[in-house]
Amino acid sequence: MRLYLIRHPQPQVAAGVCYGSSDLAVTPEECARIRDAVLPQLQHLPTGTPLFSSPLRRCADLAEQLAVGLKFGLPQYDARLAEMHFGRWEMQSWDALPRAEIDTWANDLAYYRPGNGENVVQVAQRVHAFTDALLKLDVPQVIIVCHAGTIRLLNALKNSLPSGLSSSLSLEKAALLAAQTENKISYGELQILDCAR
């Protein structure tokens, strides 16, 4: 199965703010710019290719525009694709967060719950549950509009689990790999990930 992974457009939020699972809007101009950049890369896909999206607006708005542009049906929203929830850290400036809490997280990337939100293993578990369900579909490709953290986890799951995305082993290893991978995924970037069914 081939996954066409698309990061959402840049949301309306100040630089340096921890926004994780906060539901942020994207300007219509930014959404249209990303749509116009991505559509030509997807035009070859057959009608009926499943289109999944995180339900957060910054993803959902783009997914809906892609569905119209590709003449597909409505996207299928799945909360398991949402970005990590940072609890009380949400919408706080990274610079304003207590240094001791950030250091504690850095020392336990897999299991520490930043802001008493989710830990990375919990996010890996829900993304893995999504991929387990996805791989049961008998389709050659899917489009997924989601978040940088989700994309890093999907890559980590494929690269760190013994039998690809279908294995339930080593979620901690995948979570750590994703957490330790620097985010170099641009807003609106499309990545293609091939995985075994």
Side-chain angles (χ1 to χ4, degrees):
M1 179 182 287
R2 176 165 283 183
L3 309 183
Y4 291 83
L5 306 173
I6 305 163
R7 187 182 182 195
H8 60 79
Q10 184 170 3
Q12 293 181 289
V13 65
V17 170
C18 172
Y19 59 86
S21 65
S22 296
D23 200 9
L24 301 172
V26 173
T27 66
E29 297 79 17
E30 173 67 1
C31 197
R33 184 183 72 78
I34 298 299
R35 176 203 63 215
D36 292 346
V38 171
L39 270 176
Q41 300 173 71
L42 302 174
Q43 293 288 356
H44 68 284
L45 296 177
T47 301
T49 297
L51 173 56
F52 292 91
S53 176
S54 160
L56 299 178
R57 280 186 294 172
R58 58 191 185 265
C59 295
D61 289 352
L62 177 62
E64 289 168 11
Q65 289 193 24
L66 290 174
V68 170
L70 294 166
K71 299 179 176 56
F72 289 0
L74 291 175
Q76 300 174 58
Y77 301 106
D78 197 308
R80 295 173 293 188
L81 293 170
E83 187 59 278
M84 182 169 163
H85 179 56
F86 285 91
R88 67 179 179 280
W89 288 15
E90 291 281 333
M91 299 308 295
Q92 303 299 313
S93 165
W94 283 104
D95 292 338
L97 296 173
R99 185 76 234 169
E101 290 183 31
I102 293 174
D103 290 343
T104 302
W105 186 28
N107 291 324
D108 186 8
L109 285 173
Y111 290 101
Y112 182 72
R113 295 173 54 210
N116 208 29
E118 287 181 290
N119 64 42
V120 180
V121 169
Q122 289 172 319
V123 181
Q125 288 169 338
R126 63 176 163 79
V127 171
H128 185 263
F130 170 80
T131 59
D132 266 356
L134 187 66
L135 291 170
K136 291 175 183 161
L137 299 177
D138 189 22
V139 294
Q141 65 271 321
V142 298
I143 302 167
I144 302 172
V145 181
C146 57
H147 309 269
T150 311
I151 293 171
R152 287 177 13 226
L153 272 166
L154 287 164
N155 277 293
L157 286 166
K158 181 180 187 307
N159 293 328
S160 67
L161 300 182
S163 58
L165 293 174
S166 62
S167 174
S168 62
L169 303 173
S170 302
L171 280 178
E172 180 179 339
K173 180 180 176 186
L176 281 171
L177 178 62
Q180 293 167 342
T181 301
E182 183 182 352
N183 179 21
K184 295 182 179 179
I185 305 168
S186 303
Y187 292 113
E189 181 176 329
L190 184 148
Q191 292 188 3
I192 298 173
L193 181 66
D194 288 311
C195 53
R197 288 190 220 191

